[in-house]
Amino acid sequence: MTTPVSRVVPVLNLLEHTAKALLRRAGIMTPPGAVATTPDRAAAIASEFRSVMVKAQVPAGGRGRSGGVLGADTAAEAREGAVSLLGKQLGPHPVGELLVEERLSIEQELYAAVFNHAPSRSTRIVFSACGGVEIEDTARSNPTMVHSLDIDPRSVVDIDTASRLLERAGLEGVIEEVARVLVRMHSLHRDHDAELIEINPLAVTRGGRVVALDCKFSVDPAAAARQTGIASMAADEPLTPLERSAREAGLKLVELDGDIGVLANGAGLTMTTMDVIAHMGGRPANFLEIGGDAYTKARPALALVLQHPGVRSLVVNFCGAFARTDVMVDGLTQAWLELRPEVPAFFTVHGTGSDRARRLLAERLATEPYPTMDEAVEAALAAGRGHA
């Protein structure tokens, strides 16, 4: 469920307790519980139940494997668990909140997800009767246990359609209840411009209830203007010093662990360039969208890319439609002459103003753009290997 180059455009990730509030609003059951930010509060919540789960609230998966989820049979144990978790670092995320929930008696664990599936240009619903583990592991070890359904993004899903998917998956006894969950998940996904809604596990309790024990919920960042309420609830992503500097300069940068710097106009072109680098065996060092106003932001953008300690070469990919490539190249070449970087750069320029853009590159940097993006990337990879 990951893109070829991860963390390219960070999605708006909701913490589990926020995601579950949306599930409940849509009619999907979750375990009773509350959020705690202190050990005393965790103990007070736990005292209301026979036993509880104490769960670190960070926008990351695999919390159980990394020690971020603990069981507690008493309020005292919940307090101890909270002491050990609050302030703990799970990956890049510090733990500042805990979700303390009733621990339920589980009969069966299922998997359900709704997400955007770019290859089929559809909304994909995935279901498996094997929940509680990574779905990728199930798909590799037992692919017949994972079933999917592609839906036109403009369409809605009804109970009958969802039920047929569950019947194919071999589910028995709770088909109607689980089908309702899938229908409501799909509605949430559509109404909130979600990228992914994943419930794992979706549990069937010994009393026959269908309950979401965990939930990942992420929203398309491009929809933030429409989804202001959701956007305001998204978890803060920790920034590297370079990413923080970019934000202060009004630029969108994501620092990666590669050695090929990327400068391109527009998120789509930037991501395509990065995917081509990865496809050819390279590793992009950054995502940085400089947009059509590159003339004014070229210097800070170039400086940020060059500050990445691992950059050995640079791919510059400009494509003009409404934006003019000669204006972008004008700004970038002026920045280049000021900063005088030592890393080699490889350009590809197409679209509006490209004739003048080529002249500027020849006059100022004594270079010519490559005819295609693939050729520019190949040259950057070769240069990077030469500087290894």
Side-chain angles (χ1 to χ4, degrees):
M1 310 235 176
T2 58
T3 56
V5 179
S6 63
R7 285 193 75 231
V8 169
V9 180
V11 294
L12 302 173
N13 290 306
L14 305 186
L15 295 176
E16 179 190 0
H17 70 85
T18 306
K20 284 181 170 177
L22 293 174
L23 295 185
R24 290 192 295 273
R25 196 181 304 170
I28 299 171
M29 293 182 64
T30 69
V35 174
T37 57
T38 66
D40 286 346
R41 177 59 180 152
I45 298 168
S47 67
E48 301 176 11
F49 305 105
R50 179 173 297 178
S51 64
V52 295
M53 301 301 296
V54 182
K55 309 173 76 175
Q57 296 298 281
V58 294
R63 290 171 298 164
R65 292 192 301 273
S66 57
V69 178
L70 304 173
D73 292 326
T74 66
E77 288 181 6
R79 185 195 304 275
E80 292 174 6
V83 168
S84 69
L85 289 176
L86 287 170
K88 181 177 181 177
Q89 198 82 10
L90 291 182
H93 307 285
V95 179
E97 293 180 304
L98 305 172
L99 178 58
V100 182
E101 291 184 324
E102 182 181 15
R103 180 157 50 184
L104 304 179
S105 298
I106 305 305
E107 187 72 31
Q108 185 177 9
E109 293 186 341
L110 314 172
Y111 175 94
V114 183
F115 59 94
N116 296 332
H117 188 248
S120 63
R121 298 182 180 180
S122 65
T123 301
R124 174 162 289 187
I125 301 174
V126 174
F127 176 82
S128 176
C130 294
V133 296
E134 295 292 335
I135 194 65
E136 289 85 358
D137 294 340
T138 302
R140 283 192 296 268
S141 62
N142 198 350
T144 60
M145 293 299 296
V146 181
H147 298 262
S148 64
L149 173 68
D150 290 343
I151 304 293
D152 187 305
R154 297 162 295 187
S155 301
V156 297
V157 177
D158 57 32
I159 292 290
D160 290 341
T161 300
S163 296
R164 286 194 293 271
L165 172 64
L166 300 175
E167 288 167 357
R168 279 197 288 119
L171 184 66
E172 298 179 353
V174 288
I175 287 180
E176 185 175 348
E177 293 85 349
V178 176
R180 287 198 191 96
V181 170
L182 295 184
V183 168
R184 289 163 179 165
M185 288 175 67
H186 181 265
S187 295
L188 275 173
H189 183 276
R190 185 189 64 244
D191 294 345
H192 293 293
D193 293 298
E195 287 277 356
L196 166 71
I197 302 176
E198 180 185 69
I199 300 177
N200 185 30
L202 177 65
V204 182
T205 70
R206 290 180 182 171
R209 296 183 298 162
V210 177
V211 184
L213 295 192
D214 196 3
C215 182
K216 295 178 184 177
F217 198 127
S218 59
V219 176
D220 182 351
R226 290 192 304 273
Q227 301 290 349
T228 54
I230 292 288
S232 67
M233 294 188 290
D236 291 332
E237 289 287 343
L239 300 177
T240 68
L242 205 59
E243 291 168 343
R244 192 173 298 110
S245 296
R247 178 172 292 186
E248 291 169 356
L251 292 164
K252 297 178 181 178
L253 180 142
V254 179
E255 189 174 1
L256 303 170
D257 61 358
D259 54 13
I260 307 297
V262 180
L263 274 175
N265 63 298
L269 185 63
T270 306
M271 293 172 68
T272 300
T273 307
M274 297 170 70
D275 284 342
V276 171
I277 291 171
H279 178 72
M280 292 185 175
R283 296 180 303 129
N286 64 276
F287 167 92
L288 177 57
E289 177 193 355
I290 56 178
D293 58 351
Y295 184 88
T296 61
K297 295 183 179 179
R299 194 184 190 288
L302 179 60
L304 285 164
V305 172
L306 296 174
Q307 285 176 42
H308 190 298
V311 168
R312 294 173 178 166
S313 61
L314 177 66
V315 176
V316 180
N317 190 358
F318 288 157
C319 183
F322 299 106
R324 294 186 61 89
T325 58
D326 56 340
V327 173
M328 291 185 277
V329 168
D330 186 17
L332 185 59
T333 52
Q334 287 188 36
W336 195 276
L337 293 173
E338 291 177 25
L339 296 171
R340 297 193 176 278
E342 296 181 0
V343 300
F346 303 89
F347 293 79
T348 178
V349 180
H350 298 279
T352 308
S354 59
D355 289 341
R356 179 171 179 263
R358 292 188 185 95
R359 289 197 300 272
L360 288 170
L361 286 170
E363 294 167 1
R364 296 178 180 177
L365 303 185
T367 190
E368 292 185 3
Y370 283 80
T372 67
M373 173 175 54
D374 287 5
E375 290 172 281
V377 169
E378 287 175 352
L381 292 176
R385 288 191 290 269
H387 283 73

